[in-house]
Structure formats: structure tokens, C-alpha cells
């Protein structure tokens, strides 16, 4: 596995404009230490059109360029418009996705990093929703719907494993989203 890349964290100008920094998320760990992960907030428009897509276990359907999609793909689209490459790591189905019908491939260096983290945790579960890269800059973003979702223990384990490989905490963020009223 390739540990030779010194991954950088993103600077503020690389973050999509629709994501507003709104504090930090305190993430506890088994030893009761806490990590403060940068939190961004945004709103997505609820899709009310006629086209149907699977609810995927009750996911909210949001609008992206007039089309129905999930919050993960909408957020991925925002980053791609800012020059990022990336994917939604669908932990439920254990697939890397670009869209509902399109699987994704990632750069070999990113794959190596994901595999290195999984070798520490013993499983690929816990990967943050969005895996984003731009040159030697890496960013993992976990989407949480406001007042509905919370960080799972597998995600905390995954975050600690990634940090143990030398990644900076600034390579991780929480995107708290809600539907536009």
C-alpha cells in the first residue's frame, strides 16, 4: 500500500460557497477523548417533481439541477463544480458511487489510503459519505441531516484509524443539511 503521499487538507477557498462553516462537531471516543471536527451547514431543496427514484430506505429526495437525487449526490455535485474529484461511499451497499446508476473509481493513491484505513479497522465500514480529492488534497465529508442523524461508532473508529496514519483532522468535516422550507 502506498503511504508515500503526504495528503494536504483543503483550504477555505476549495469549499463550495453553499457550505457555510457553522461551528464544530464534538466527536467522542471510547477513551472519552473528544475531537472537534469542522462543521458546515447548508440547505437543499426538496424535490417535488413527478420523476421518481427509489427512496433508498427513506432518504429525502432533493433537487440537483432540476433532477431528483439524494443529499450525498447533491453535495458531491457542489464539490465537483469546485474542481474536486470524488464519490459517495455508499456504506449500506458497500459501493463507490458517482450517481444512483453509476459506480465510481478513485485514484490509486486514494484507494490505497482507503485500504490502509480499512486494514486498521478490519472493515471498510465507517468511511465518511464523501471521499474527495484534488491533486494531493484529500477531504472526507460526512453528511448528517439536521436533528435526524448522528455519527456512528464505526465512523469514529474509521476517523481514528485515518488519523493514526498521519492525516490531519482538517481533512475531515461534517456537513449538516436540512430541507429548505
Amino acid at each position: 500500500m502506498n503511504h508515500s503521499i503526504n495528503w494536504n487538507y483543503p483550504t477555505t477557498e476549495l469549499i463550495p460557497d453553499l457550505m457555510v462553516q457553522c461551528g464544530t462537531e464534538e466527536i467522542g471516543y471510547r477513551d472519552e477523548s473528544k475531537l472537534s471536527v469542522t462543521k458546515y451547514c447548508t440547505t437543499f431543496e426538496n424535490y417535488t417533481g413527478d420523476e421518481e427514484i427509489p427512496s433508498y430506505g427513506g432518504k429525502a429526495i432533493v433537487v440537483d439541477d432540476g433532477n431528483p437525487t439524494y443529499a450525498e449526490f447533491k453535495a458531491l455535485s457542489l464539490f465537483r463544480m469546485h474542481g474536486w474529484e470524488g464519490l459517495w461511499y455508499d456504506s449500506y451497499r458497500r459501493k463507490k458511487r458517482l450517481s444512483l446508476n453509476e459506480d465510481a473509481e478513485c485514484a490509486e493513491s486514494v484507494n490505497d489510503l482507503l485500504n490502509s484505513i480499512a486494514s486498521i479497522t478490519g472493515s471498510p465500514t465507517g468511511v465518511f459519505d464523501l471521499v474527495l480529492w484534488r491533486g494531493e488534497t484529500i477531504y472526507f465529508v460526512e453528511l448528517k441531516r439536521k436533528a435526524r442523524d448522528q455519527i456512528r461508532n464505526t465512523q469514529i473508529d474509521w476517523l481514528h484509524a485515518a488519523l493514526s496514519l498521519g492525516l490531519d483532522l482538517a481533512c475531515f468535516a461534517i456537513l449538516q443539511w436540512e430541507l429548505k422550507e
Side-chain angles (χ1 to χ4, degrees):
M1 291 179 210
N2 181 3
H3 299 284
S4 63
I5 291 185
N6 250 348
W7 290 102
N8 300 312
Y9 54 85
T11 55
T12 357
E13 54 274 357
L14 296 179
I15 306 300
D17 300 335
L18 291 175
M19 291 174 49
V20 178
Q21 189 169 349
C22 58
T24 58
E25 182 90 8
E26 297 295 318
I27 298 177
Y29 197 57
R30 293 183 182 127
D31 65 4
E32 299 185 23
S33 63
K34 293 198 185 284
L35 297 172
S36 293
V37 177
T38 301
K39 181 165 65 174
Y40 293 89
C41 294
T42 197
T43 56
F44 294 136
E45 186 180 335
N46 191 34
Y47 180 76
T48 57
D50 294 331
E51 186 180 342
E52 292 186 14
I53 62 172
S55 69
Y56 216 74
K59 280 188 167 296
I61 309 298
V62 302
V63 177
D64 186 22
D65 199 24
N67 299 308
T69 193
Y70 307 128
E72 292 84 357
F73 293 132
K74 173 64 179 177
L76 179 58
S77 164
L78 295 173
F79 276 99
R80 292 176 67 104
M81 287 189 297
H82 271 73
W84 289 87
E85 294 182 71
L87 55 89
W88 170 33
Y89 194 95
D90 177 357
S91 294
Y92 182 71
R93 293 215 166 77
R94 291 190 182 184
K95 287 188 168 201
K96 298 171 186 163
R97 298 182 180 273
L98 283 178
S99 69
L100 187 58
N101 300 314
E102 187 179 359
D103 291 345
E105 294 295 323
C106 53
E108 184 179 348
S109 56
V110 175
N111 236 5
D112 287 346
L113 177 60
L114 293 172
N115 289 335
S116 295
I117 297 167
S119 73
I120 294 170
T121 63
S123 166
T125 58
V127 178
F128 278 28
D129 289 320
L130 300 184
V131 178
L132 305 155
W133 62 96
R134 187 173 171 168
E136 291 186 358
T137 300
I138 191 90
Y139 207 32
F140 298 97
V141 179
E142 178 61 25
L143 278 74
K144 295 297 178 195
R145 188 167 175 187
K146 186 176 182 177
R148 293 196 180 199
D149 295 330
Q150 60 185 1
I151 295 287
R152 297 183 320 273
N153 285 335
T154 55
Q155 293 169 316
I156 297 169
D157 291 342
W158 191 87
L159 173 60
H160 277 267
L163 294 173
S164 77
L165 290 175
L167 289 179
D168 193 288
L169 188 57
C171 293
F172 303 86
I174 304 294
L175 175 56
Q176 179 179 285
W177 67 275
E178 60 186 323
L179 292 174
K180 194 178 290 184
E181 295 294 324

